[in-house]
Amino acid sequence: MLELRNICFQVPDEKSRNAEEKGILKDVSLTLEDNKFVVITGPNGGGKSTLAKVIAGIEKPTSGQILWDGQDITEMGISERAKLGISYAFQQPVRFKGVTVFDLIRLAAGKELSIAGACEYLSKVGLCAKDYINREVNSSLSGGEIKRIEIATIMARRTRVSVFDEPEAGIDLWSFQNLIQVFEEMHNQLHGSILIISHQERILQIADEILLIADGQLVKKGTREEILPQLLGTSDAAEFACKKMGSGR
């Protein structure tokens, strides 16, 4: 179980003349139970992506605690948390010149993996394996291709917690339909927790729990049956519901 207690994250306020700091996350507390599918949504600039990075260890909170099965991991970085069992998929995936797709998936799996095994992961994310398995993970790949390859690596890791920051970004419609099936399969077969930052209603509709982050605060949380009708039926939801919204900070 992953627990966040009173998490705050501040950065220097560029508009301030007195070296004041701006609060991106303000006293956020939440619990991610085992084997749950949770979606975090909310308006742009609300702190969603920052929260995901804090969970992964990319950013360190200004104050508060992060607990993993009761162990305080607040000071741990991304590598240490990855070893514990936390995966993170970037909104803009990293490229690796000189590293092939097969190398990347094999490294993610953390064990000996055959080409056929790696190809199976690629097929699940809608890529023709023979066309990609030996390609380098570099600028020759489109944004949608690199995004799907990253999702394949997360599947190969099979970790207890998988965090995805707007996985639908850059994905075409056909691939998006396939992506929904991938997340459902991960949730049903891996028995790990999935945490997704998203504005997409289709993703919200398969969540066990929805969290609404706005102005750096957790303002709503509950099951999809409780929260989704509220989001779609309020004026605040108008911004959330726009499918082409950019990323939260």
Side-chain angles (χ1 to χ4, degrees):
M1 183 174 71
L2 182 68
E3 183 180 1
L4 276 63
R5 294 182 180 174
N6 309 111
I7 294 295
C8 295
F9 183 81
Q10 297 178 314
V11 295
D13 189 344
E14 297 176 354
K15 297 181 180 179
S16 172
R17 296 181 179 180
N18 301 314
E20 295 180 355
E21 292 194 330
K22 179 180 179 181
I24 304 301
L25 297 175
K26 306 169 186 176
D27 197 31
V28 175
S29 295
L30 61 90
T31 298
L32 180 62
E33 298 178 1
D34 293 337
N35 196 28
K36 289 291 185 179
F37 191 121
V38 178
V39 177
I40 296 178
T41 193
N44 287 342
K48 303 181 301 299
S49 290
T50 297
L51 181 60
K53 290 175 182 176
V54 165
I55 290 171
I58 298 170
E59 299 283 7
K60 181 181 175 181
T62 306
S63 61
Q65 279 186 306
I66 303 173
L67 304 177
W68 176 267
D69 291 338
Q71 175 189 359
D72 191 334
I73 63 169
T74 312
E75 299 298 321
M76 287 187 180
I78 187 170
S79 296
E80 293 171 294
R81 294 191 200 185
K83 291 177 182 177
L84 284 178
I86 300 176
S87 294
Y88 179 81
F90 290 85
Q91 188 178 136
Q92 299 294 331
V94 180
R95 298 171 189 270
F96 303 93
K97 186 177 181 180
V99 176
T100 67
V101 171
F102 176 54
D103 291 335
L104 192 62
I105 295 176
R106 182 172 55 183
L107 286 170
K111 61 182 181 181
E112 287 298 320
L113 187 69
S114 66
I115 290 180
C119 287
E120 184 176 346
Y121 289 116
L122 291 176
S123 297
K124 287 181 179 179
V125 296
L127 294 176
C128 181
K130 66 182 180 62
D131 293 336
Y132 288 91
I133 195 68
N134 292 315
R135 288 185 63 176
E136 286 191 17
V137 188
N138 56 25
S139 58
S140 68
L141 295 168
S142 71
E145 289 170 332
I146 194 73
K147 175 75 76 171
R148 284 184 277 174
I149 289 167
E150 183 182 50
I151 293 169
T153 65
I154 299 295
M155 294 176 67
R157 288 207 67 214
R158 303 177 67 89
T159 48
R160 279 181 57 191
V161 174
S162 300
V163 181
F164 296 88
D165 190 356
E166 296 201 24
E168 71 272 13
I171 298 290
D172 58 72
L173 181 60
W174 182 90
S175 298
F176 178 69
Q177 302 293 342
N178 185 257
L179 190 63
I180 298 295
Q181 295 177 0
V182 167
F183 289 139
E184 290 180 317
E185 181 178 334
M186 286 182 66
H187 186 42
N188 293 332
Q189 295 186 5
L190 300 185
H191 305 296
S193 296
I194 299 174
L195 180 65
I196 298 180
I197 308 295
S198 181
H199 304 104
Q200 286 286 348
E201 186 179 340
R202 282 291 308 280
I203 293 179
L204 289 160
Q205 286 175 342
I206 61 173
D208 295 321
E209 187 176 25
I210 296 174
L211 309 179
L212 177 62
I213 300 288
D215 192 28
Q217 297 176 302
L218 177 60
V219 296
K220 290 181 187 291
K221 65 177 179 179
T223 66
R224 65 176 178 270
E225 291 85 2
E226 295 169 335
I227 301 299
L228 194 54
Q230 296 179 40
L231 289 176
L232 297 177
T234 65
S235 58
D236 290 341
E239 187 175 3
F240 136 81
C242 177
K243 299 300 187 290
K244 298 300 183 181
M245 286 174 65
S247 63
R249 188 169 180 179

